[in-house]
Amino acid sequence: MTTPSRRAHHARRALAVIAGIGTVSLLLAGCTRPSAARDTDDPAEFFEGQTIRWIVPFEAGGGTDTSARALVPILTEHLPGNPKIQIENIEGGNGVLGTNEFAKTDADGLTILMTSSSTNTAVLFGDPAVQFDYNDFTPIAGVPAGGTQYVAPSTGVTDPLSLLDTTNPLIYGGITPGGGEFPRILGMDLLGLDVEHVWGYQSRSAVQIAFSQGEVTIDGQSTAAYLESIAPLVDRGEATPVYSIGFMEGDELVRDSAFPELPHAVELYEQKHGTLPDPDMLEAYKFLVLIGQNLQKQLWIRDGAPEVAVEAFQQAFIDMQKDPDFEAVRDALGGYDLLVGESLESDVAAALYDPPQEIIDWLAEYAKREYGADLSRG
């Protein structure tokens, strides 16, 4: 197994390499698109000489855009006919504006989309700007992303269980009490932590700086950010990891494979109290893990696209993970395998095609009551 320090090294190297490759691989925004898709059952004939339009509904340089560009070179290699791929950034509204645009495109098999967990939240919690239905899209692949909580030495916490006994101040900094913050917030609430929340930071990077300066004493970052910026603090004794957000496998919450030694939040609660948390809060937390960690990012093609294209895309994402060159891409994406096949279909069905309305309603009411947050706004 690749160690965290090696993954961080690979990630830095991979991003540098990918940036160079991406410049060569991507078309300039003004390039003319080749002719429409061909009527054929041969995927090589279908894609040869074509250009894939990949809509990324977020700003260039952001997390979703970076993930998409990391995948472009190896996807081009594994698609029959080796088509070119052009990324188009249509930002705004937590991914809603670009996804609205994708929903209007022809189902020609030459247009794909990458959404993020913030888009899922907007859809599930009723953002009025949403003009699409996930049931009109077919999933191609998913990009999972773990998350880990850690504390400062000033808390006196030296291991996960001691977190639940500390009487020292726990100060959490965040952007807003919603969107991507909410799995972290609910995890801390589930554990019964007495936390002071400070909102208004512009980014998770800004919170990370506040942590290093002692303004924040409990924080959480994605696996990629943790390995890059927090692991060195842990090595110097300036941070202590306490639990992970976890991942869902079917109906079971499991440990994050990137941090197998850390319990997830529910496991930590169980270790302390010998029982499971409140059933409603537990089910809500598990649902947030599904839509935010398992389905951190998803790739889609329009429902009704030629089957030859759909199958070729899905197979390409399966095949690329067997390619030795994918190791660097995997590290750049946070160190996780892509979500494909039956696992992808099952998670998408449970979270986005047929979501549990009673859990969504519970979360919306809880966020509003406890934090004055509107989850539909991300």
Side-chain angles (χ1 to χ4, degrees), residues 53-367:
R53 180 191 184 196
W54 186 337
I55 295 177
V56 174
F58 297 92
E59 64 181 351
T64 304
D65 178 73
T66 301
S67 296
R69 292 178 191 272
L71 286 163
V72 164
I74 198 164
L75 176 57
T76 300
E77 292 176 9
H78 285 274
L79 277 175
N82 306 122
K84 294 184 174 71
I85 298 176
Q86 176 178 316
I87 286 182
E88 181 179 347
N89 298 95
I90 306 176
E91 61 183 279
N94 294 308
V96 170
L97 297 185
T99 306
N100 286 343
E101 177 65 24
F102 173 76
K104 300 172 186 176
T105 62
D106 293 334
D108 58 6
L110 297 176
T111 305
I112 60 175
L113 169 78
M114 177 179 266
T115 55
S116 185
S117 58
S118 61
T119 319
N120 298 343
T121 302
V123 172
L124 293 168
F125 292 97
D127 187 333
V130 172
Q131 299 173 8
F132 61 89
D133 187 334
Y134 272 134
N135 286 279
D136 295 330
F137 305 164
T138 297
I140 299 170
V143 181
T148 301
Q149 295 289 108
Y150 50 92
V151 295
S154 63
T155 62
V157 173
T158 57
D159 58 60
L161 277 173
S162 65
L163 170 67
L164 305 187
D165 295 323
T166 186
T167 58
N168 293 319
L170 294 174
I171 304 170
Y172 178 81
I175 302 169
T176 62
E181 300 281 4
F182 215 67
R184 300 186 187 98
I185 297 169
L186 195 62
M188 291 186 289
D189 288 354
L190 180 149
L191 287 168
L193 301 180
D194 183 11
V195 178
E196 176 187 347
H197 300 89
V198 179
W199 307 112
Y201 288 93
Q202 295 301 306
S203 66
R204 294 306 309 165
S205 297
V207 177
Q208 180 183 312
I209 293 171
F211 179 88
S212 67
Q213 295 174 341
E215 300 170 14
V216 169
T217 62
I218 183 168
D219 188 28
Q221 293 287 348
S222 68
T223 298
Y226 181 95
L227 293 175
E228 182 71 22
S229 302
I230 306 305
L233 300 183
V234 174
D235 292 340
R236 297 197 298 266
E238 298 172 11
T240 300
V242 284
Y243 64 90
S244 71
I245 302 297
F247 281 99
M248 292 301 297
E249 284 187 3
D251 193 47
E252 183 181 0
L253 191 64
V254 299
R255 289 189 177 193
D256 188 328
S257 61
F259 304 96
E261 73 285 357
L262 278 183
H264 54 69
V266 174
E267 186 181 4
L268 181 57
Y269 182 97
E270 202 170 1
Q271 288 175 1
K272 176 65 176 178
H273 300 286
T275 185
L276 291 172
D278 172 80
D280 289 338
M281 185 173 285
L282 173 59
E283 292 306 310
Y285 181 78
K286 289 163 67 174
F287 183 67
L288 287 179
V289 172
L290 180 62
I291 65 172
Q293 313 310 133
N294 288 45
L295 297 174
Q296 170 62 215
K297 304 186 192 306
Q298 310 93 56
L299 289 99
W300 305 90
I301 193 168
R302 284 288 313 277
D303 204 24
E307 196 64 27
V308 64
V310 176
E311 291 179 357
F313 274 114
Q314 292 173 336
Q315 191 61 46
F317 281 100
I318 292 172
D319 291 343
M320 71 169 62
Q321 298 187 85
K322 305 170 188 176
D323 188 330
D325 290 340
F326 186 73
E327 181 180 355
V329 178
R330 180 188 288 110
D331 288 335
L333 296 174
Y336 302 98
D337 288 336
L338 299 176
L339 194 61
V340 294
E342 292 183 4
S343 296
L344 171 66
E345 293 173 6
S346 175
D347 284 355
V348 167
L352 303 177
Y353 284 170
D354 188 23
Q357 192 59 49
E358 67 279 5
I359 292 178
I360 293 170
D361 292 343
W362 187 95
L363 280 164
E365 194 278 330
Y366 184 88

